């Protein structure tokens, strides 16, 4: 004779239904959480052989309506008319170099900066020469201006295209912020600032101070020239 337990079976079925329902609810919550996770856009700054220290990837949170301009504004100083990159991380390019921008590996110009980006889009900001020099791999030298504690607002770094036989004097002469003496042998002023009698301009190349005739020194690719306002000893 078989014994039936209708009440027990009903309870087991009810328990199973509760468990299945709970799992379904958890799955829905997980799905909703994944859908609500903010996306990202990668903006890669490429210094290349021009300014190697500038190279860095930047992850930008993606929000609906994010434009190319919005992303650029996170890493660069832009002109007032929003059509030109003025500097990136305090680095300025002289007239021999220019900033270029790619969206998903396709080059774009300022007229495209209003484009609304999509999740996982990628931007690459890089440097390119205005004109190529035959038989020379494109690279740059940099000129850093530092006013020290005496004039902390006097600062900035300018990158210039390297070419053979480029000298320290060439770099100084072509920079509008630097004014040389009439005989081109020493720095007279920077941004129109003339040192006091207790001050002097110190010129270094790759961390080594130049002597009086040092302006004739021939530079190499990626050399770093530095002008610092120092106290006269």
């Amino acid at each position: 004779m078989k014994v039936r337990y209708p009440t027990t079976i009903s309870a087991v079925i009810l328990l199973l239904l509760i468990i299945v329902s709970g799992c379904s609810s958890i799955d829905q919550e997980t799905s909703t959480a994944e859908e609500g996770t903010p996306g990202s856009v990668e903006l890669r700054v490429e210094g290349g052989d021009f300014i190697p220290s500038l190279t860095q990837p930047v992850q930008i949170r993606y929000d609906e309506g994010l434009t190319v301009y919005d992303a650029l504004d996170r890493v660069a100083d832009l002109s007032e008319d929003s059509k030109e990159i003025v500097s990136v991380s305090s680095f300025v390019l002289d007239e021999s170099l220019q900033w270029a921008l790619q969206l998903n590996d396709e080059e774009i110009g300022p007229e495209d900066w209003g484009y609304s980006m999509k999740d996982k889009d990628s931007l690459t900001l890089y440097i390119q020469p205005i004109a190529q020099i035959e038989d020379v791999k494109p690279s740059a030298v940099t000129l850093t201006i530092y006013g020290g504690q005496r004039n902390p607002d006097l600062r900035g770094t300018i990158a210039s295209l390297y070419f053979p036989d480029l000298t320290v004097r060439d770099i100084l002469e072509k920079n509008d912020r630097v004014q040389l003496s009439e005989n081109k042998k020493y720095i007279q002023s920077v941004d129109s600032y003339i040192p006091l009698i207790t001050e002097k301009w110190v010129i270094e190349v790759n961390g080594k101070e130049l002597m009086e005739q040092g302006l004739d020194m021939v530079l190499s690719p990626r050399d770093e020239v530095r002008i610092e306002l120092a106290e006269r000893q």
Side-chain angles (χ1 to χ4, degrees):
M1 179 179 178
K2 295 181 180 180
V3 180
R4 296 183 179 180
Y5 303 96
T7 303
T8 303
I9 293 174
S10 298
V12 171
I13 293 173
L14 181 60
L15 180 60
L16 289 174
L17 288 173
I18 292 173
I19 293 172
V20 171
S21 175
C23 290
S24 176
S25 175
I26 292 172
D27 290 342
Q28 282 185 340
E29 289 177 4
T30 302
S31 176
T32 302
E34 289 176 351
E35 290 174 1
T37 302
S40 65
V41 168
E42 182 178 80
L43 196 168
R44 183 167 183 81
V45 181
E46 281 287 356
D49 287 324
F50 299 99
I51 313 175
S53 62
L54 195 60
T55 299
Q56 61 175 319
V58 180
Q59 292 293 328
I60 298 174
R61 175 191 170 107
Y62 172 77
D63 291 308
E64 187 175 354
L66 178 74
T67 64
V68 172
Y69 178 90
D70 295 332
L72 272 179
D73 196 38
R74 307 286 179 89
V75 300
D77 290 325
L78 305 175
S79 60
E80 291 184 3
D81 60 5
S82 304
K83 294 182 179 180
E84 185 180 357
I85 296 172
V86 177
S87 65
V88 177
S89 297
S90 79
F91 284 96
V92 176
L93 306 182
D94 74 1
E95 70 281 354
S96 64
L97 299 169
Q98 64 183 358
W99 301 104
L101 186 66
Q102 288 185 347
L103 172 62
N104 299 329
D105 298 325
E106 292 188 10
E107 190 165 336
I108 61 173
E111 66 276 5
D112 302 309
W113 289 1
Y115 169 82
S116 292
M117 303 183 69
K118 300 180 178 63
D119 186 17
K120 307 304 181 188
D121 274 351
S122 64
L123 286 169
T124 304
L125 178 61
Y126 60 101
I127 301 168
Q128 63 183 16
I130 297 294
Q132 298 288 340
I133 300 177
E134 290 186 9
D135 302 323
V136 176
K137 183 179 179 181
S139 60
V141 295
T142 56
L143 171 64
T144 296
I145 296 171
Y146 180 56
Q149 294 182 346
R150 292 173 171 266
N151 198 334
D153 293 332
L154 200 64
R155 62 175 59 214
T157 301
I158 306 97
S160 301
L161 181 66
Y162 169 82
F163 57 84
D165 300 322
L166 180 72
T167 66
V168 174
R169 181 179 283 104
D170 293 330
I171 288 296
L172 299 180
E173 277 191 293
K174 68 185 296 190
N175 194 284
D176 293 337
R177 298 181 62 184
V178 179
Q179 294 80 44
L180 296 179
S181 60
E182 288 188 11
N183 59 13
K184 311 293 184 183
K185 289 186 176 181
Y186 63 90
I187 297 174
Q188 181 171 307
S189 64
V190 177
D191 288 346
S192 299
Y193 181 83
I194 300 175
L196 302 175
I197 194 170
T198 57
E199 300 172 331
K200 65 176 181 177
W201 298 113
V202 173
I203 304 175
E204 297 180 348
V205 175
N206 302 329
K208 295 183 178 179
E209 185 175 347
L210 294 185
M211 298 296 101
E212 288 188 5
Q213 302 302 319
L215 296 189
D216 292 321
M217 176 181 175
V218 177
L219 298 170
S220 300
R222 289 184 283 184
D223 273 351
E224 298 176 355
V225 181
R226 178 184 175 93
I227 303 171
E228 182 172 349
L229 183 64
E231 185 176 357
R232 192 180 294 275
Q233 301 296 326

